[in-house]
Amino acid sequence: MSFLVMAGVLAPAAAQPATNRLGVSPSAQSQDFVAHKQQFQLHSLLTEQRHPRSVDLSTRIAADTADGLASLLAVDEDIAKALQGVAADPARLAALDAASREITRALREGHRLYFYGTGSTGRLAETIESGLWRPFWQRTAQSPLMARIEARYPTLGERVRGEITGGDRALIASLEGFEDIPEIGRLQLQDNGIRPQDLVFAVTEGGETSAVIGTALAAADQAGADARRTWFVYNNPDDVLRPFERSRRVLDDARITKIPLPTGPQAITGSTRMQATTTSLYVLGVVLEDATRALLRDVLSADELASLGFNDVGIADRLRGFTALQRTTAAAAPKLAAWTDREAASYANGRRSTYLATRALMPVFVDVTERAPTFRLGPLDPVNASERRSWIQVWTPATDGAQAWQALLHRPFHGLDKALYLPPFENGIDDPYLREAALRGLSNAGDEQQALYDLSYSPANMQRNAPAAGDSGALILLGDEAHREANRQWLQAATQAGAELVLVSVSARPLASEVLRDVAAPRPVPVIAVTVPQRDAFELDQTIVLKMLINAHSTGVMAKLGRVVGNTMTSVQPGNLKLIGRATWLILSHVNGTLESSAWRAAHGTTAPLSYAEANAVLFDAIEQRRNAVGAAGLPEVELSVVAVLEALKTGKPVDWPAAAATLRAQGLNRYLAPYATPTQDATP
């Protein structure tokens, strides 16, 4: 087994080249980033490091899909260890118990809960509201117990709000530049009507996201000295965050209660949609469920609570119980491989995929939309698109787009009102690059965006984009949902059209015979059924298992298609300051890892390592050249830059972008770097 060893440190000052050996002059933006944006050069964070258990993922999954998926799912063992550590840590466990008590108190007194995040943690926040909280109350509304609950706590089901930076349009794709602006956190707090007595949970995987920090500080300003009102949840150790001034402001603010949940490196370097977000979603879901159970004890008996899915398992035992969920998920890798192979083959042949989900809609939608920035895919297509760019579409049984959005959010769509946001953006953002990006993002963030995206399984969408021969598809079931007639119709239509389907189910019970009958004919559909016996009120356990399964599947698909090198996201789109920093580090690391290899030295001698400034200058040039250079359109900037730099260093000539583009298209980065890979023993501990 082999992998490319990345350079662990920046090139020391003495090794910096004295001349412009690459023939690339740094742009004004590059000079500004290197000189003034050190706070976004985040390669020291634990979540940005390479994980040894998946370091050779691209090689392993190319040889054996099930083995590659197993390496991805094995990294989730880190979550189990981290949560066991929290359960055994009196200080952190006390903080979670306190959070539960404060949630109970706030809801009892008629106040609201506000969960806020950016990117993956923004989708986490919306999942808490629209994937856990609101669906629970919709199910409970069918019970005769609801009348007593509503009489005691009116509008209880409306008192949790989950918000992503940029509003609901950002669920489709993050809006460029927003996450780098602290002010947007304060504005969205105001926009959502959050008051001093409400509880605010500001969630950031890295612990350094400006918009989330802005939210935490604004909430603390509202609440004053009462640290019970504002909570900061993050996944990096404090000591690695302290070099960043904005992180220190929160860590040192006594008005904010901190909940650190470090889990270590991610399965895909920097891809915090995986282990970091899974950890925070599970912990916050457990705390919210614990608090809700305590609140409803005011109204319901133990037997009545049990009928709604509540039990007496405390927070510590729920955290320890994650180990069983991880093992259940990991055991599904062999079955999951068939789906991964099928979907990857569809994309490789220029075909597409369609997912149909009802109760599983939120976790499915989140995974699909997170693929675009991680692996450089087109986001979901708007209804007015002149041509299809997205490889995938997500549907739910609904008559039209508006009803589908309601099925996803269980509330009205909420965009950003320019009347509130435009003046502060125009007058309050000093950095010209951030201001320009924020204004672009705001133009695509309003309520009108809802009508542009139709997630409905409806006659209109079937006429536009019905599954076709060679496409792949999945019917995804969650919990105890009934097998709907719409599911049968979709299975029949897609199968008759020649699409290759799978059925994925995560439930407390085995699949019903009627479901199995419908996927047995006329052409058998592979079934991936995972049983999660623990029933909890919010269906959190099942949601988490489904999340881990789909995260591994979608990552495996992209790795099989060459959009992962080793375990690095070399197709990442550098659309904000954090991702520009990540892209720079990936260029630097892959180039310097190659220069240090024995194969390079044997062929080309000792070469001075690439500096951070050189890597960043090349990245910004690649962003521009990707638009203009012959053959470069559509190629990832990181991969194009790595090839361009290494070819220039081989020949001693300036970077030749068209030649680099031709080489990358012909070989792909994995094959291009293969001669310089360093043989090692199995990296798995």
Side-chain angles (χ1 to χ4, degrees), residues 564-637:
V564 173
V565 175
N567 62 353
T568 64
M569 54 166 85
T570 52
S571 293
V572 66
Q573 182 172 347
N576 58 50
L577 294 176
K578 176 180 179 177
L579 295 181
I580 289 170
R582 178 179 296 160
T584 302
W585 181 246
L586 288 172
I587 295 166
L588 182 77
S589 302
H590 276 294
V591 168
N592 285 347
T594 299
L595 300 184
E596 291 177 356
S597 70
S598 57
W600 177 276
R601 290 179 176 175
H604 308 291
T606 300
T607 306
L610 195 70
S611 71
Y612 191 92
E614 284 181 304
N616 187 259
V618 169
L619 172 64
F620 275 101
D621 200 26
I623 293 171
E624 184 64 28
Q625 294 294 335
R626 188 174 177 271
R627 303 187 188 105
N628 302 319
V630 175
L635 294 174
E637 293 90 348

Side-chain angles (χ1 to χ4, degrees), residues 80 166 250 293 306 310 426 464 467 593 682-683:
V250 176
R293 177 188 61 186
F310 292 101
E426 288 181 329
R464 274 194 298 259
D682 193 330

Side-chain angles (χ1 to χ4, degrees), residues 540-559:
L540 173 65
D541 289 358
Q542 294 166 17
T543 299
I544 286 290
V545 167
L546 180 60
K547 177 187 184 299
M548 290 190 289
L549 282 172
I550 304 179
N551 284 172
H553 162 70
S554 59
T555 301
V557 168
M558 294 301 117

Side-chain angles (χ1 to χ4, degrees), residues 453-469:
Y453 297 93
D454 186 350
L455 312 177
S456 67
Y457 168 44
S458 61
N461 261 345
M462 283 294 284
Q463 184 174 1
R464 274 194 298 259
N465 298 318

Side-chain angles (χ1 to χ4, degrees), residues 71-105:
S71 74
L72 284 169
L73 291 167
V75 178
D76 290 330
E77 293 175 15
D78 291 356
I79 305 174
K81 293 175 184 176
L83 295 182
Q84 289 170 5
V86 174
D89 180 349
R92 286 192 290 169
L93 187 60
L96 298 183
D97 286 333
S100 175
R101 290 193 302 272
E102 289 306 312
I103 290 172
T104 302
R105 180 198 56 74

Side-chain angles (χ1 to χ4, degrees), residues 507-553:
S507 177
R509 291 189 288 271
L511 279 169
S513 58
E514 60 177 350
V515 180
L516 295 173
R517 183 174 61 248
D518 284 342
V519 298
R523 188 173 61 190
V525 172
V527 175
I528 304 165
V530 178
T531 302
V532 181
Q534 312 96 307
R535 180 173 181 255
D536 60 279
F538 290 175
E539 294 186 343
L540 173 65
D541 289 358
Q542 294 166 17
T543 299
I544 286 290
V545 167
L546 180 60
K547 177 187 184 299
M548 290 190 289
L549 282 172
I550 304 179
N551 284 172
H553 162 70

